[in-house]
Amino acid sequence: LTVVLHYEGGRFVLGVTRGDGYEGEDVTANLRTINSVPLTIPPQGVTDRAPRGRKRQAAPAPNRLVVRGEVYFPKDKFDELNRQQEASGGKTYANPRNTAAGAVRQLDPRITASRPLRLFAYNVVAIEGASLASQWQALEYLKAMGFPVNGDSRLCADIEEAIQYSERWFKTRGQQNYEADGMVLKVNDFAMQEELGAVGKAPRWAIAFKQASEVAVTRLNGIEVNVGRVGTITPFAVLEPVRVGGVTISLATLHNTDYIKDNDIRVGDRVRIKRAGEVIPQVLGPVVELRTGDEAPYRFPEQCPSCGEPLVRREGESAIYCVNLQCPAQLSRQVEHYAGRGAMDIEGLGEKAAVVLVEQGFLKSVADVYELHQRRDELVALEGFGEKKVDNLLAAIEASKDRSLARLIYALGIRHVGGTVSELLAENFDSLEALAHAPAEQLDAIRGLGPEIVSSIVVCFKQPKAQTLVKRLIEAGVKTRPVGRVLARGGRLAGQTLVITGTLPTMSRDEAAAFIKLHGGKVTDSVSKKTDYLVVGENAGSKLDKARSLGVKTISEDELRALGE
């Protein structure tokens, strides 16, 4: 389980899970019970080697240090735990990965303390009081501070050497006392990493190097389907349980009807399965030579299993859809997506709550979320809710009205429109209404939007349901515009790249970023030699130190506003 450790003045003060990449769970008390997590840095009495054999004290602790690492369950300890559980008649565990994650997230730290968990630190997220120029230097620094670092890490001269080392490492895979599905190859130099950047959350400067997954054979007992958020009907396999990579698998994806047909997968077949990425169970195909003649070809359903309406296959697509806009299965998933952390961030409106509210008739559209306050007493009466839970939910719904335009666009769940595309659209349209009425030609002119994305946006907003949804969101008071109106590309900050750090006096991060984009500027997450300004608030982090070292101009919120005037 990925964790992020925060140190101030050399003391461990906060530990969180990675969560959705923006917000995680506070597991500080649990992490304190793991022996390999340093509670103070650097360790007392540790020295490092100076030239000519002289010893010197290790560098002092930085003012602030944020470290990312992996908590894991050693394989030998995991096997020992299962033997103890079996002997006492208790529950045995499927694999070390899930067991480690569950142990870290326990409500009772004593349970975490009873599990022999370990930590590998692998990245410095932020640092104040020291400067690091490369990944390898960061690993050496982490070791000097007393963090356990994986001993198999290597600094290679070029990509060929890195691949050769990875291939040698895979020959010994399984001998390590921890589970691993591969190695990560990274560009070493931090400045080069920043220049390469990322696509969404995927960095261009790192890639996973993996070998083929373990494959097992089992019987396909049946095929069933799920209804997705946009009506996609996805088949999945019901399997005779089998262990793959330490996990018992009984369900696996079959992708779509064409996949079943092209691979001639039949109910009753003996099939080969693997865990794609060592996580997602997937049927690879049948073992034809084991057929007995009793296997039956699969016939895809003609009606939606949720609402009973006829299913449709669009020209040129392999997927089959339920096009009923009132389909309950689609609506509950739409609500869950809309309320998700990366979207409108409505805490308390997760999968279970969404299903209940749809099934009980409280929600017939995503827009109905903003009318729940009128039915507070009815909500309180629902099983599993209650006054405090309902009041917290209603407060979260009210707060969601002020989310950024990019998050609102993403929340709508338009096919092929993820977080990165939503940001791009928010930069090019001054409101949700303008986007909803944009012709294909206008969208097609935006660099970064391909024909499939453009078509998906146009088709979405042509639907009467989507037009009604936009209207109702506006009437409910949801903010459908960024801060002010988008200026022409000749704005005062046109061509300028800015980074924001710390807490600004009156603006949130989203508002400051929107202001910069409004005036033609570009906002990035990392300071580099290409940064024109660093906007600095209270409790600024390591970005301020880096800006000073690179000679990047720093400005306050007031100075930012003045630049836009």
Side-chain angles (χ1 to χ4, degrees):
L1 182 74
T2 298
V3 294
V4 182
L5 313 173
H6 296 249
Y7 293 79
E8 293 181 4
R11 300 183 65 83
F12 176 51
V13 295
L14 175 67
V16 296
T17 63
R18 181 171 57 184
D20 60 0
Y22 299 98
E23 183 178 339
E25 296 177 53
D26 184 343
V27 289
T28 308
N30 294 355
L31 292 175
R32 286 183 182 277
T33 70
I34 300 175
N35 290 335
S36 52
V37 174
L39 300 183
T40 59
I41 57 172
Q44 295 297 316
V46 171
T47 60
D48 57 6
R49 288 281 179 182
R52 299 181 183 176
R54 295 194 304 273
K55 287 187 176 182
R56 65 185 180 207
Q57 288 295 319
N63 299 330
R64 175 172 175 262
L65 180 67
V66 182
V67 174
R68 184 175 287 122
E70 294 278 347
V71 169
Y72 68 97
F73 208 126
K75 290 194 296 188
D76 61 343
K77 300 296 183 183
F78 176 76
D79 293 339
E80 182 181 328
L81 172 65
N82 268 345
R83 285 195 296 270
Q84 292 172 353
Q85 291 291 103
E86 192 171 348
S88 63
K91 171 189 173 183
T92 57
Y93 298 92
N95 61 78
R97 178 176 183 168
N98 294 349
T99 309
V104 170
R105 299 174 64 190
Q106 288 289 335
L107 296 177
D108 186 352
R110 290 174 297 183
I111 298 177
T112 308
S114 70
R115 302 291 187 250
L117 301 175
R118 300 289 184 270
L119 171 80
F120 278 138
Y122 66 85
N123 192 31
V124 174
V125 178
I127 187 170
E128 293 178 8
S131 179
L132 302 172
S134 70
Q135 176 70 27
W136 192 253
Q137 186 181 2
L139 291 176
E140 293 295 308
Y141 184 81
L142 287 171
K143 286 192 282 188
M145 288 292 111
F147 292 93
V149 172
N150 194 305
D152 287 346
S153 301
R154 290 291 184 277
L155 178 61
C156 300
D158 51 40
I159 188 65
E160 287 79 13
E161 183 182 338
I163 292 172
Q164 289 171 9
Y165 175 68
S166 296
E167 290 174 338
R168 291 198 304 272
W169 181 87
F170 270 108
K171 292 178 181 178
T172 65
R173 181 187 176 194
Q175 297 178 16
Q176 293 86 1
N177 197 25
Y178 54 85
E179 296 284 0
D181 64 350
M183 305 190 82
V184 178
L185 279 57
K186 297 183 181 181
V187 171
N188 187 40
D189 183 74
F190 285 160
M192 182 65 74
Q193 288 185 10
E194 290 180 4
E195 189 169 343
L196 287 166
V199 178
K201 295 181 181 179
R204 290 191 178 100
W205 45 266
I207 190 168
F209 189 88
K210 300 184 179 183
Q211 283 187 328
S213 302
E214 178 185 342
V215 175
V217 175
T218 190
R219 186 176 301 281
L220 174 61
N221 290 331
I223 297 177
E224 298 180 11
V225 296
N226 276 325
V227 185
R229 175 170 50 84
V230 294
T232 310
I233 307 297
T234 305
F236 63 91
V238 180
L239 304 166
E240 189 174 291
V242 62
R243 288 185 68 79
V244 184
V247 177
T248 300
I249 303 298
S250 58
L251 302 174
T253 182
L254 284 165
H255 303 293
N256 53 57
T257 184
D258 282 352
Y259 186 83
I260 297 172
K261 182 179 178 181
D262 293 346
N263 288 280
D264 189 22
I265 299 171
R266 305 177 186 182
V267 175
D269 265 333
R270 302 285 290 182
V271 292
R272 293 176 295 111
I273 66 167
K274 72 170 186 177
R275 294 171 66 207
E278 306 296 330
V279 177
I280 302 171
Q282 171 184 335
V283 175
L284 299 177
V287 184
V288 178
E289 56 270 26
L290 295 180
R291 281 181 174 164
T292 64
D294 295 329
E295 297 79 12
Y298 175 67
R299 294 189 63 183
F300 213 84
E302 296 180 354
Q303 287 83 34
C304 173
S306 176
C307 66
E309 289 294 311
L311 299 178
V312 174
R313 181 166 183 169
R314 295 166 181 162
E315 186 177 352
E317 294 192 22
S318 59
I320 293 176
Y321 297 90
C322 170
V323 294
N324 176 18
L325 299 181
Q326 305 302 322
C327 178
Q330 293 181 57
L331 180 55
S332 62
R333 288 178 173 84
Q334 288 168 4
V335 171
E336 181 189 353
H337 173 78
Y338 185 87
R341 284 181 176 173
M344 301 302 274
D345 193 14
I346 303 176
E347 189 171 353
L349 191 52
E351 178 184 359
K352 291 181 180 178
V355 169
V356 169
L357 294 177
V358 169
E359 288 180 347
Q360 296 295 321
F362 286 84
L363 302 177
K364 292 183 172 62
S365 162
V366 167
D368 290 340
V369 167
Y370 295 101
E371 296 182 1
L372 288 175
H373 66 281
Q374 300 173 10
R375 305 179 66 178
R376 178 186 178 279
D377 292 344
E378 294 176 70
L379 288 171
V380 170
L382 286 176
E383 184 177 352
F385 281 72
E387 291 200 12
K388 184 175 181 180
K389 184 174 181 178
V390 169
D391 287 341
N392 288 340
L393 172 60
L394 295 178
I397 291 171
E398 185 65 27
S400 75
K401 295 179 180 180
D402 291 324
R403 304 294 182 231
S404 68
L405 176 58
R407 293 179 71 168
L408 175 58
I409 294 170
Y410 173 67
L412 296 179
I414 304 169
R415 291 187 71 212
H416 308 307
V417 177
T420 301
V421 172
S422 297
E423 289 281 357
L424 184 60
L425 292 170
E427 291 174 8
N428 284 273
F429 291 93
D430 63 355
S431 68
L432 180 61
E433 304 93 290
L435 172 62
H437 292 96
E441 296 77 16
Q442 184 180 358
L443 289 162
D444 199 44
I446 299 174
R447 185 177 180 183
L449 296 186
E452 195 171 9
I453 296 174
V454 170
S455 174
S456 183
I457 295 169
V458 172
V459 168
C460 170
F461 286 115
K462 274 187 177 179
Q463 297 180 53
K465 179 185 177 184
Q467 296 169 15
T468 301
L469 175 60
V470 171
K471 181 180 177 181
R472 290 187 63 194
L473 291 176
I474 295 169
E475 291 172 348
V478 176
K479 184 168 67 178
T480 60
R481 294 175 178 269
V483 183
R485 184 177 176 82
V486 174
L487 299 179
R489 295 192 180 277
R492 293 288 301 275
L493 293 174
Q496 305 289 303
T497 299
L498 294 87
V499 177
I500 305 165
T501 186
T503 304
L504 302 180
T506 66
M507 285 182 169
S508 68
R509 289 275 185 109
D510 282 348
E511 289 170 340
F515 181 89
I516 292 166
K517 294 172 185 176
L518 169 69
H519 292 84
K522 177 183 177 183
V523 181
T524 61
D525 292 328
S526 304
V527 176
S528 71
K529 58 186 178 183
K530 293 184 179 180
T531 305
D532 295 292
Y533 297 101
L534 176 67
V535 184
V536 180
E538 289 186 11
N539 301 316
S542 58
K543 292 176 183 176
L544 179 57
D545 294 332
K546 186 153 192 180
R548 287 168 175 165
S549 68
L550 294 175
V552 173
K553 183 175 177 59
T554 60
I555 58 174
S556 64
E557 179 187 313
D558 289 341
E559 290 171 314
L560 171 63
R561 292 184 184 276
L563 283 175
E565 293 176 354

